Amino acid sequence: MNEELLIIFAIVGAGVGALGWRVLRRARSPAPVPAAPVVAATGALSAVVGWRWLAGAWPSWWLPVPLVLTGLAVPLAVADLRHRRLPDVLTLPAYPLLGVAVVVSALSGPGSGLAVRALLAGLVFGGCHLLVHVLSRRSLGAGDVKLSGALGMAVGAVGWPAVFVGAAVAAVITVLLSTRPRWRDGVPHGPGLLGAAWLVTVFPGAGSEVIRWT
């Protein structure tokens, strides 16, 4: 039964990845990405989310947040790596999509406190990135700022410590990317932000609010 559910997670995730690929391709300002890697990676990561849920790593009410984040993360990360852009066609819908996921999780689980914390974390996380962008536009693009608020909501729902952990992991990923000659003139920060948010929401720490309500 678990194997069948994991296959369903992978198939649905692959379908979401295909939708993200199509949206980027048909956007007013297109940012085409290769279909096969996006579809395969979204399907695989969705299966990981399903595996964590089935293993009882966190409560069922948390499932909407990592699932929605997975569907957004792969096409956006690939677009940023390929074009050094985080298109509005996906970054802006991330707010209502993740917002709804957080609210559903809150109402199904610990209550409105989770949603309030997520909103505040989104404002703090997004505000910090906006400040960096204003002070140094070369180090952080506008797309990163637009995305950071939505990701801050998802990470903040895990707990306040997760916001700092997510920022640190994102910085590490960006530093690793900077070691490649291709990025010497400017490193895309989106993959770091998205990768860190995915890791924090799928693998929340033992002391996180999500685990506390397991």
Side-chain angles (χ1 to χ4, degrees):
M1 183 63 178
N2 283 0
E3 291 78 7
E4 294 174 355
L5 285 173
L6 287 179
I7 292 173
I8 292 174
F9 271 95
I11 292 174
V12 172
V16 173
L19 178 61
W21 164 78
R22 185 178 181 86
V23 167
L24 288 173
R25 188 166 175 260
R26 291 178 172 271
R28 181 177 298 179
S29 179
V33 294
V38 169
V39 170
T42 309
L45 292 182
S46 296
V48 173
V49 172
W51 164 66
R52 292 284 288 167
W53 170 56
L54 292 169
W58 25 259
S60 295
W61 54 259
W62 181 243
L63 183 60
V65 175
L67 274 182
V68 171
L69 183 57
T70 300
L72 292 165
V74 176
L76 277 171
V78 175
D80 204 16
L81 288 170
R82 193 175 181 89
H83 303 286
R84 291 182 63 182
R85 284 176 51 214
L86 291 165
D88 288 350
V89 71
L90 285 182
T91 55
L92 298 184
Y95 283 88
L97 290 173
L98 285 171
V100 168
V102 166
V103 169
V104 169
S105 292
L107 295 180
S108 303
S112 60
L114 182 144
V116 172
R117 184 177 65 248
L119 176 60
L120 292 175
L123 292 172
V124 171
F125 203 63
C128 289
H129 282 77
L130 176 60
L131 179 61
V132 173
H133 174 68
V134 170
L135 296 175
S136 178
R137 293 179 182 271
R138 286 179 57 85
S139 61
L140 203 64
D144 300 312
V145 176
K146 295 174 186 176
L147 180 64
S148 62
L151 296 184
M153 287 194 299
V155 174
V158 178
W160 282 111
V163 177
F164 300 99
V165 172
V169 173
V172 169
I173 295 174
T174 301
V175 168
L176 291 175
L177 284 175
S178 70
T179 61
R180 300 187 58 186
R182 178 183 179 183
W183 307 120
R184 293 290 168 80
D185 295 330
V187 185
H189 193 49
L193 285 171
L194 292 159
W198 188 85
L199 287 171
V200 168
T201 55
V202 178
F203 298 91
S208 70
E209 293 296 316
V210 173
I211 300 300
R212 187 168 71 87
W213 285 92
T214 301

